[in-house]
Amino acid sequence: MVFDKKGTTTTVFQENISQEEFKTNLEKAYPKIKNDNVIVNLFSFEKLTANDVLEYLQLSNTHRASNKSFVLVTNKVSYDDVPEEICVVPTLQEARDIIEMEEIERDLGI
């Protein structure tokens, strides 16, 4: 598992591992990144379904409850295919933009 921290945002990604192992490893490593905004890069997974993305819902809800952003990045599942409460975007730049907007909203108390 690779962590790329820039400012208050950590991007997490992994190559050559199953989606289940990645999720398990992410949950184990979560205490290290719980105070950051988190981008989970899922591009390395060739096959990804909406159900696979929903596996991250509990972790996303926990993280967002602590007033931090949690964004999944994949172009294999559309944000229309998952519930509104989980944030899915097709590019890393969009993930960064979402986090920036959410940071502004938190600063303004929105």
Side-chain angles (χ1 to χ4, degrees), residues 53-101:
V53 169
L54 288 176
E55 292 288 323
Y56 295 90
L57 184 58
Q58 182 178 352
L59 186 58
S60 173
N61 287 342
T62 299
H63 197 69
R64 287 165 111 31
S66 67
N67 224 16
K68 296 291 181 183
S69 299
F70 189 92
V71 184
L72 299 172
V73 182
T74 180
N75 58 2
K76 294 177 180 62
V77 176
S78 169
Y79 64 89
D80 291 329
D81 297 335
V82 294
E84 190 176 294
E85 59 194 307
I86 192 162
C87 186
V88 176
V89 295
T91 68
L92 287 169
Q93 185 58 52
E94 285 182 73
R96 290 182 198 103
D97 291 346
I98 291 281
I99 289 173
E100 186 176 337
M101 287 188 303

Side-chain angles (χ1 to χ4, degrees), residues 1-4 9-14 19 22-23 25-27 30 33 37-45 48 52-53 55-56 59-60 63 69-75 86-92 95-96 99:
M1 182 161 290
V2 179
F3 298 98
D4 180 20
T9 301
T10 299
T11 302
V12 183
F13 57 97
Q14 180 73 46
Q19 197 266 336
F22 177 73
K23 184 179 168 290
N25 291 343
L26 178 60
E27 289 171 345
Y30 181 72
I33 60 172
N37 295 307
V38 176
I39 297 172
V40 180
N41 184 341
L42 301 175
F43 277 126
S44 63
F45 301 110
L48 200 67
D52 293 330
V53 169
E55 292 288 323
Y56 295 90
L59 186 58
S60 173
H63 197 69
S69 299
F70 189 92
V71 184
L72 299 172
V73 182
T74 180
N75 58 2
I86 192 162
C87 186
V88 176
V89 295
T91 68
L92 287 169
R96 290 182 198 103
I99 289 173

